[in-house]
Amino acid sequence: MSQNISPLAGKPAPSSILVDIPKLLAAYADLQPDPSVPAQRVAFGTSGHRGSSLERGFNEWHILAITQAICEYRRAMGIDGPLFMGFDTHALSQPAFENALQVLAANGVQTMIAAGGEFTPTPAISHAILTYNRGREKGLADGIVITPSHNPPADGGFKYNPPNGGPADADITGWVQQRANALLRDGLDGVKRMPLAQARAAAGTHEHDYLNHYVADLASVIDFEAIRSAGIRMGVDPLGGAGVHYWAPIADRYRLDLSVVSDEVDPQFAFMTVDWDGRIRMDPSSKYAMQRLIGLKDQYDVAFACDTDHDRHGVVTRSSGLMESNHYQSVLIDYLFRHRPQWSAAAAVGKTVVSTSLIDRVAKRLGRELYEVPVGFKWFSAGLFDGSLGYGGEESAGASMLRRDGSVWTTDKDGLVPALLSAEITARARKDPGELYRQLTKELGTPYGDRLEAAATPAQKARLAKLSPEQLHSDQLAGERIEQVLSHAPGNDAAIGGIKVVAASGWFAARPSGTEAIYKIYAESFKSQEHLQTLLAEAQQLVDVAVADP
């Protein structure tokens, strides 16, 4: 990725950059957001509401208002089954959970909380919703996931999953966001709340064993017999995340040679190596954040990690070290569609517009339809739910797939399953995924990919988000004729919030950042590293001209 790499990148986190947890928690309880300031309002992005209490972006008032809005949304939609709620290991997740429970109990919502206060991965909540709803037409369940995913330790996050088990779509989040902000403006007038001890003891509050329900069902999606009989040696680094206590029961139940590198939980995440920009980020797709596991690669046949809510995966092989997400997912798709005979012959391959085109080539060779959508896992949920998608994956290492029998597993991202599938692949192929990737590129071509970021004003970002193909004044890209200019995704015709330009040997996509004063350009070449750099340079010129101030 074309960035200014911090001198701290890949090194153990110095104490000077560790977050002050007591200060963070005090800010959560004591600082109130000002709804007249945009950065302090409730704002749902592709993964819920996120922010830091230190910047008044994620405080007690936000959670009370959002939870009340969710209760009102449920009533309006007739959703009256149980609500499954869990939280990860970020410091702000526990108080947010407690505040949400106070509101849910006061609103009479049947709430399923983790037995013994256990941390809960995102996929375990999606799995619980879908398992409960199977065969039901009324009294449907939904869920709340409290996590900012792999974001830095000072952040909090809060996400709603409707009865399809996946991330809420824009219609739902727009409604909840609008109502929550109205509650903030009214000083929380209209929020129902009861004391925490009373909420925990409420008739509608029940403990649910997320861990054992999820672990016991994993054999429906992974061939553990193949892994066990091949004697695959595995290592896992939970990165101090919500699945930290899931891995040992998985190893025990399925009799696997699986070592947990560390089961430490620390809200400062002081054990991490620093990410590319000098911040701590529990990102299993970052070589800087994954230094601990990369250093252990030769001890295992395959090793893997997940982010803080365990909805993303990172795979480390002896042959290649940490695999790029696009590379591993290409191998994973190629493997799954050849080793899941019970999947429908019509089940498609789902990818985002900024994922590698190697996936397109894999899908074509498999004789599978490609379903290409904008960035955001919510676009895959319906297809995974009804089995029309065998697999849905994002370039940022988030994916899910069907059970072995072709029925729905999760409709939100699952980091544990793709991680464990790296061992199934190694067992069956007798080669690790890194070796299989090299084999794949010999057969289908080698992609060279990168991403760059450029400064953009709010007005320029808005123009980029609405850019039409007619506004791109060129018919050439890096020496080749432009074949396609897309403002909408080919799979579902949804706006991609930017533009994608495709030529015979490469493509680029440009999108504004949802949170920063920048836009991002993703590019890929099937020719060479030099061709990739030409693509990126020309892409930036084309975009700059198209979004320039009038």
Side-chain angles (χ1 to χ4, degrees):
M1 186 162 152
S2 305
Q3 305 154 311
N4 294 319
I5 305 299
S6 165
L8 293 176
K11 295 176 181 171
S15 57
S16 60
I17 70 167
L18 300 181
V19 66
D20 182 332
I21 299 297
K23 183 179 177 185
L24 185 73
L25 295 175
Y28 174 85
D30 299 339
L31 298 184
Q32 292 176 8
D34 179 349
S36 69
V37 179
Q40 295 180 30
R41 290 182 203 138
V42 172
F44 276 82
T46 53
S47 296
H49 174 76
R50 292 185 185 179
S52 176
S53 61
L54 300 171
E55 296 162 2
R56 298 179 195 251
F58 189 93
N59 299 86
E60 182 172 300
W61 274 41
H62 290 112
I63 304 311
L64 297 172
I66 294 169
T67 310
Q68 181 63 41
I70 288 170
C71 291
E72 294 175 15
Y73 173 80
R74 298 179 94 241
R75 273 199 296 275
M77 293 294 111
I79 301 167
D80 55 2
L83 182 141
F84 290 90
M85 180 166 64
F87 59 94
D88 76 0
T89 55
H90 277 80
L92 294 176
S93 296
Q94 174 85 35
F97 164 80
E98 292 172 353
N99 287 148
L101 184 61
Q102 291 177 291
V103 175
L104 292 165
N107 279 272
V109 175
Q110 298 281 322
T111 306
M112 312 298 278
I113 64 174
E118 182 58 78
F119 304 113
T120 309
T122 289
I125 294 174
S126 180
H127 176 267
I129 295 168
L130 293 167
T131 303
Y132 182 86
N133 287 343
R134 191 179 299 138
R136 294 178 192 267
E137 292 182 6
K138 56 185 181 180
L140 297 178
D142 53 1
I144 288 173
V145 190
I146 303 173
T147 174
S149 191
H150 61 291
N151 276 29
D155 284 5
F158 202 86
K159 194 172 79 165
Y160 175 65
N161 285 31
N164 76 355
D169 65 26
D171 289 348
I172 301 173
T173 56
W175 194 99
V176 171
Q177 176 178 305
Q178 188 174 5
R179 177 61 181 142
N181 283 320
L183 288 164
L184 287 182
R185 285 193 299 273
D186 293 342
L188 300 184
D189 184 25
V191 172
K192 296 179 184 175
R193 180 185 188 184
M194 65 169 61
L196 180 61
Q198 196 178 331
R200 286 189 180 277
T205 302
H206 310 279
E207 287 205 338
H208 179 75
D209 190 351
Y210 289 97
L211 190 156
N212 282 308
H213 280 90
Y214 177 89
V215 170
D217 211 10
L218 274 172
S220 71
V221 71
I222 291 160
D223 184 352
F224 286 113
E225 177 55 39
I227 299 170
R228 189 168 52 245
S229 59
I232 301 297
R233 288 193 312 284
M234 295 162 279
V236 60
D237 190 342
L239 299 180
V244 63
H245 301 137
Y246 279 55
W247 294 103
I250 290 170
D252 290 346
R253 183 180 188 93
Y254 299 108
R255 304 192 308 282
L256 304 177
D257 185 352
L258 172 62
S259 302
V260 180
V261 168
S262 170
D263 60 3
E264 181 179 2
V265 174
D266 167 20
Q268 288 186 305
F269 294 90
F271 54 79
M272 289 295 297
T273 48
V274 179
D275 205 3
W276 67 271
D277 59 353
R279 303 182 75 190
I280 295 173
R281 201 177 275 109
M282 289 60 69
D283 181 358
S285 65
S286 164
K287 65 182 179 184
Y288 303 107
M290 285 277 280
Q291 282 298 302
R292 176 164 68 183
L293 195 60
I294 292 169
L296 299 172
K297 72 181 179 70
D298 294 333
Q299 295 183 25
Y300 307 105
D301 295 313
V302 66
F304 32 82
C306 292
D307 66 339
T308 324
D309 68 324
H310 271 48
D311 74 342
R312 298 184 188 213
H313 61 274
V315 171
V316 174
T317 66
R318 281 184 178 176
S319 66
S320 308
L322 176 66
M323 292 186 70
E324 285 187 32
S325 170
N326 271 319
H327 297 181
Y328 176 59
Q329 289 197 65
S330 299
V331 170
L332 184 53
I333 291 164
D334 189 55
Y335 173 82
L336 282 171
F337 283 87
R338 289 187 295 105
H339 289 86
R340 295 296 184 263
Q342 290 179 270
W343 286 9
S344 163
V349 177
K351 62 163 262 192
T352 60
V353 291
V354 295
S355 298
T356 177
S357 288
L358 184 59
I359 292 172
D360 306 40
R361 297 181 180 197
V362 168
K364 186 177 180 181
R365 187 171 73 172
L366 289 164
R368 295 282 177 168
E369 181 188 341
L370 187 74
Y371 183 68
E372 187 173 353
V373 298
V375 172
F377 200 80
K378 63 186 180 185
W379 301 112
F380 300 127
S381 296
L384 290 166
F385 187 77
D386 66 17
S388 61
L389 276 183
Y391 179 95
E394 294 190 294
E395 76 297 334
S396 54
S400 192
M401 66 288 302
L402 299 177
R403 294 171 188 257
R404 292 156 74 186
D405 68 4
S407 63
V408 63
W409 167 248
T410 60
T411 48
D412 209 332
K413 292 178 285 196
D414 187 329
L416 295 93
V417 166
L420 288 163
L421 280 167
S422 69
E424 182 187 323
I425 291 169
T426 305
R428 283 194 172 272
R430 296 291 175 179
K431 292 178 181 173
D432 72 36
E435 295 170 298
L436 292 171
Y437 175 73
R438 282 199 291 277
Q439 186 177 314
L440 203 59
T441 57
K442 279 180 188 164
E443 296 162 355
L444 298 176
T446 301
Y448 301 87
D450 203 354
R451 186 177 116 194
L452 61 78
E453 298 172 351
T457 65
Q460 289 168 337
K461 285 170 60 179
R463 281 195 287 277
L464 175 55
K466 294 188 173 75
L467 206 59
S468 70
E470 297 74 39
Q471 291 170 273
L472 206 71
H473 301 301
S474 178
D475 59 359
Q476 295 282 311
L477 179 64
E480 294 182 327
R481 184 178 66 81
I482 291 175
E483 296 178 352
Q484 274 184 306
V485 181
L486 304 169
S487 57
H488 288 69
N492 60 358
D493 201 36
I496 60 180
I499 203 152
K500 182 173 182 178
V501 179
V502 184
S505 305
W507 57 269
F508 80 83
R511 296 175 60 245
S513 167
T515 54
E516 300 172 84
I518 58 172
Y519 69 78
K520 300 175 183 181
I521 291 178
Y522 304 77
E524 184 175 65
S525 165
F526 274 87
K527 277 187 174 179
S528 65
Q529 197 66 42
E530 294 72 28
H531 184 243
L532 172 64
Q533 295 310 313
T534 304
L535 272 173
L536 283 165
E538 291 192 14
Q540 188 164 1
Q541 287 176 347
L542 285 169
V543 172
D544 284 346
V545 169
V547 304
D549 295 326

